[in-house]
Amino acid sequence: MRDSDTVRGMSHPHPDLGQPPRLPDNALRIVALGGLGEIGRNMTVFEHRGRLLVVDCGVLFPEEHQPGVDVILPDFSWIRQRLDKIDGIVLTHGHEDHIGGVPYLLKERGDIPLIGSKLTLAFITAKLKEHRLKPETIEVKEGDRRKLGPFDCEFLAVNHSIPDGLAVAIRTKAGLVLHTGDFKMDQFPLDRRLTDLRAFAKLGEEGVDLFMTDSTNAEVPGFTTAEKDLGPAIDTVFRTAPGRIIVSSFASHVHRIQQVLDAAKAGGRKVAFVGRSMVRNMGIAADLGYLKIPKGLLVDLKELEKLPDRKVTLVCTGSQGEPMAALSRMANRDHMIRIGEGDTVLMASSLIPGNENAIYAVINGLIRWGANVVHKGNAKVHVSGHASAGELVYCYNLVKPRNVMPIHGEYRHLKANAALATSTGVPADRVIIAEDGVVVDLDRGRARIAGAVEAGYVYVDAMTVGGVTEANLKDRRALAEEGVVTVVLIVDANTGRLAEPPDFLARGFVHDDTTFKEVVPVIEDTLARAAKEGIGDANQLEELVGRAVGNWTYRHWRRRPVVIPVVIDA
């Protein structure tokens, strides 16, 4: 299915794509501002007849090479001057990579309606409360149909790793678009809520002009394992663990937490939730009836400490190695819960690409303190929430779309999904592999790439949004990896020469008294050339000296520390 001949001829983004032309009156423009070429930051904007509809607005979590960054947002630049044209934000489900960016968009226009299912709206409303935002919400359920400006939206039930997921069918004068959101086709879901394949087929009979479908598992053959099949592995952990059990999961993974609660009840254990987001989300899920907590099972953390270890279960966040999450802090001995011999840690979530190093660092830290760590790599304790290749092919055959645009995934996932589409008979020139910012127009039954807009990373760093640049991150990486060298120079203002030997202060750069001895002549030559050319300005001298010292350290030590020259006039 992934033969190069099958993929050849598909439309690909081009680095030289320019600004898109004016959109024809009855055409539909689709622009992903995040979520294509990455796992996270999902946000797609639909433009039709001068109005905009947003589907999802999520965040991407930083990797190791982005130090100091809390989350990464979609770039709102393309729509910033047209926020008043947005008729609504449709939220397909309540995972952070689909709702985490909403507070930042609402801070730019607070009255944009949010459209979603009961649980999704409850999660985002609680999050917005922390940002002191009170949104306008429109609750929908599967089977509902609602007009949002020129967009006629129909909502369909889909099964995912969180309850209440929705696909959305968007009807416009340009045609019918089916956006799956994140989905799979679990035939035995824990909540008995199946992906509505009958509705998919009905839309197929009506005629789907553009099928936008989840690509995350497009490389995985067959069908995704059912959630219920995890039961035996989780039960085994609870039956055999000699001491405390610490379970880490996404704070929104209600199905998995339900399995853990049921296993704890069967094993005679008590449970406490650890971490603000876990406590908040599970409280919401329980209040709305999505999470069934057996009476007397849930106790306060302080009460749990009084029980023998074999009666204790803790449920916390941190399955992706996030540095501030509870599990990471336990691994680093920076948490009130101290991991030790006899503890069993059950990591019951997927391994998101890019987080591997952070996750394995946490696993190693936990094992170092004596814990037995059970994870996806050594036990069947997680299944994906996304459709595998067999399910995607089934959907293509059911829907029979005229055009296809794979969404949600890294480039390899998008390409694999595109190959599946062509294998079912979709013409290769009607399969669009787009990336963030690429503009796709649906006009007279054909989807084509029409240009590109800005869709870069927007970094959230503590209280600043968009203040951190790639240059800042480069400096941070250099500080962390290469160290910093400060050179203090006292320069005779009359001669331009050193008035006394320079002082070197180094951090993160291994050195002794002789390390910088050989760079002093280099500095003297630099100052002499500057004096000859009439350069006496301290800022210019600092720039010249910084460059000279940086080049020297690389030639001699193969290191590129951040060099901070300080020139003082004598």
Side-chain angles (χ1 to χ4, degrees), residues 179-247:
H179 185 300
T180 67
D182 290 1
F183 86 109
K184 60 179 176 177
M185 289 164 49
D186 191 339
Q187 299 303 297
F188 304 97
L190 299 180
D191 60 1
R192 306 305 303 162
R193 186 173 178 272
L194 295 162
T195 292
D196 193 349
L197 297 177
R198 287 188 300 176
F200 275 43
K202 188 176 178 182
L203 290 169
E205 290 174 6
E206 180 181 338
V208 173
D209 295 287
L210 181 63
F211 192 29
M212 303 174 67
T213 184
D214 182 1
S215 305
T216 313
N217 272 358
E219 293 183 306
V220 180
F223 282 62
T224 300
T225 304
E227 292 276 350
K228 74 176 184 63
D229 292 345
L230 299 186
I234 293 174
D235 290 343
T236 298
V237 170
F238 276 81
R239 191 174 62 252
T240 60
R244 297 183 302 179
I245 297 176
I246 298 94
V247 180

Side-chain angles (χ1 to χ4, degrees), residues 138-204:
I138 301 172
E139 184 181 318
V140 294
K141 61 183 184 303
E142 54 266 30
D144 286 354
R145 192 162 168 176
R146 183 174 287 269
K147 285 274 287 184
L148 299 165
F151 306 95
D152 181 358
C153 298
E154 181 181 353
F155 300 92
L156 295 71
V158 290
N159 179 249
H160 186 40
S161 55
I162 184 174
D164 251 9
L166 294 170
V168 58
I170 305 169
R171 293 177 176 88
T172 68
K173 289 183 179 297
L176 170 59
V177 176
L178 176 54
H179 185 300
T180 67
D182 290 1
F183 86 109
K184 60 179 176 177
M185 289 164 49
D186 191 339
Q187 299 303 297
F188 304 97
L190 299 180
D191 60 1
R192 306 305 303 162
R193 186 173 178 272
L194 295 162
T195 292
D196 193 349
L197 297 177
R198 287 188 300 176
F200 275 43
K202 188 176 178 182
L203 290 169

Side-chain angles (χ1 to χ4, degrees), residues 7 15 37 189 206 209 271 281 283 291 303 314 335 379 384 420 480 495 519:
V7 180
E206 180 181 338
D209 295 287
V271 177
N281 285 358
L291 186 69
E303 187 178 337
L314 300 161
H335 197 280
S384 175
L420 294 175
T495 65
V519 79

Side-chain angles (χ1 to χ4, degrees), residues 85-104:
K85 306 295 185 185
I86 300 175
D87 287 313
I89 304 172
V90 172
L91 301 173
T92 59
H93 64 283
H95 279 149
E96 279 294 295
D97 60 333
H98 292 257
I99 68 171
V102 172
Y104 301 93

Side-chain angles (χ1 to χ4, degrees), residues 213-415:
T213 184
D214 182 1
S215 305
T216 313
N217 272 358
E219 293 183 306
V220 180
F223 282 62
T224 300
T225 304
E227 292 276 350
K228 74 176 184 63
D229 292 345
L230 299 186
I234 293 174
D235 290 343
T236 298
V237 170
F238 276 81
R239 191 174 62 252
T240 60
R244 297 183 302 179
I245 297 176
I246 298 94
V247 180
S248 74
S249 176
F250 291 121
S252 53
H253 205 331
V254 179
H255 294 324
R256 196 64 40 78
I257 303 304
Q258 184 69 67
Q259 290 174 304
V260 168
L261 296 182
D262 293 344
K265 176 68 174 176
R269 291 175 177 265
K270 298 292 185 181
V271 177
F273 294 131
V274 181
R276 185 178 62 176
S277 59
M278 181 67 73
V279 172
R280 181 191 68 201
N281 285 358
M282 292 307 109
I284 292 170
D287 289 343
L288 296 179
Y290 293 92
L291 186 69
K292 309 294 184 186
I293 303 178
K295 190 174 182 179
L297 180 70
L298 201 63
V299 299
D300 184 79
L301 186 58
K302 290 183 179 179
E303 187 178 337
L304 207 67
E305 292 173 353
K306 302 173 186 176
L307 298 175
D309 286 354
R310 69 180 186 281
K311 296 291 185 180
V312 171
T313 300
L314 300 161
V315 180
C316 67
T317 55
S319 59
Q320 297 304 308
E322 308 96 308
M324 296 308 295
L327 195 67
S328 297
R329 292 173 57 203
M330 291 178 201
N332 294 329
R333 276 293 196 260
D334 183 31
H335 197 280
M336 60 180 292
I337 296 168
R338 314 294 277 187
I339 299 294
E341 294 287 342
D343 288 337
T344 298
V345 176
L346 172 60
M347 300 181 74
S349 289
S350 63
L351 192 155
I352 293 177
N355 294 353
E356 294 91 345
N357 291 341
I359 294 168
Y360 287 120
V362 169
I363 291 173
N364 285 322
L366 295 168
I367 292 173
R368 184 176 293 114
W369 301 121
N372 173 36
V373 181
V374 181
H375 56 90
K376 184 181 178 182
N378 60 19
K380 193 175 182 179
V381 292
H382 173 74
V383 296
S384 175
H386 303 271
S388 296
E391 293 154 272
L392 294 174
V393 167
Y394 191 101
C395 287
Y396 285 127
N397 286 330
L398 200 63
V399 174
K400 297 191 180 303
R402 297 187 178 101
N403 301 272
V404 169
M405 179 177 166
I407 58 170
H408 196 289
E410 296 180 351
Y411 194 83
R412 59 194 171 96
H413 304 130
L414 303 178
K415 192 168 183 179

